Amino acid sequence: SEQGKDEDSLKAYQQSLELNAEDAELCYNLGIKLGAKGDTKGEMNMYAKATNVDPQMGGAWVNWGTALAEAGNLDDAEMMFVKALECGPDVRPKALMNLALVHNTRANEYAQGGDLPSAKASALKASNLLDQAKPLLDELASDAAGADADSQRYITQFKPLRLQVHRLYGQILAGAGEYAACEEEFKRAAETYPDIPGVWDMLGRILELQGKTAEAAECKAKVTELTGR
């Protein structure tokens, strides 16, 4: 069975590690195996060992940070992603995207708690980090050799995350009464992703709120055009 094969593979890695305790790649791969099995503590221990042996192993820092973030420990996760930034260009866009996700999560938490200034600052950080990641991801996507599966996953996830950050940042600005700034944020989203109906809907709503009915109507027409209704 697949489960039996996974168990055998896990045992093989553990036995290899007993003979090669200083093998960072082995620690890293065992961490991935343990994470897939749901052993978060064991997973993080392996990433800690991997980065102790090889501090430049960016993938281990990213995976460690991801495990911490999923456990709700955003502060320590942020530290791991910052470490990953120092590990070379191949891991940099992944670290930037994960840092953006940390700040976007914080922005949402601050907004829900009514702390709009902190929410605005965190959302702006998330936005800036994604702007830094975009050209690096574009470079990966255009690589003639083709992006590996992990890089491809990040390339695919960029657009929905970028839209999510645009939306949250705009909502925070609107909540703070900064309607013109909100309009600019949503216009930026519409320029970048003109094929997304929700973007035009957001822009139309903030325009309507400011009494810009003609422009709002154009946005509604765009939504109709894109959705066919």
Side-chain angles (χ1 to χ4, degrees), residues 131-180:
D131 287 345
Q132 291 177 56
K134 183 66 166 67
L136 301 175
L137 289 168
D138 287 346
E139 193 174 327
L140 277 176
S142 66
D143 187 346
D148 60 41
D150 191 50
S151 296
Q152 190 57 54
R153 184 168 59 87
Y154 276 90
I155 291 165
T156 303
Q157 289 174 347
F158 181 85
K159 183 176 178 178
L161 179 57
R162 192 68 191 88
L163 286 165
Q164 189 181 336
V165 171
H166 274 307
R167 182 180 294 108
L168 181 59
Y169 189 34
Q171 287 171 343
I172 291 165
L173 290 167
E178 298 180 40
Y179 298 145

Side-chain angles (χ1 to χ4, degrees), residues 17 21-24 27-28 30 42-55 57 60 64:
L17 194 60
E22 296 299 301
D23 189 326
C27 293
Y28 171 65
L30 181 53
E43 175 190 15
M44 289 196 281
N45 282 340
M46 284 300 108
Y47 297 145
K49 284 185 179 181
T51 53
N52 186 52
V53 174
D54 181 6
M57 181 167 272
W64 191 359

Side-chain angles (χ1 to χ4, degrees), residues 4 32 35 47 80 93 96 99 101 113 136 140 144 153 159 163 203 206 213:
I32 293 172
Y47 297 145
M80 302 307 157
L96 288 166
L99 279 169
L101 193 54
L136 301 175
L140 277 176
R153 184 168 59 87
K159 183 176 178 178
L163 286 165
L203 179 56
I206 193 64
T213 51

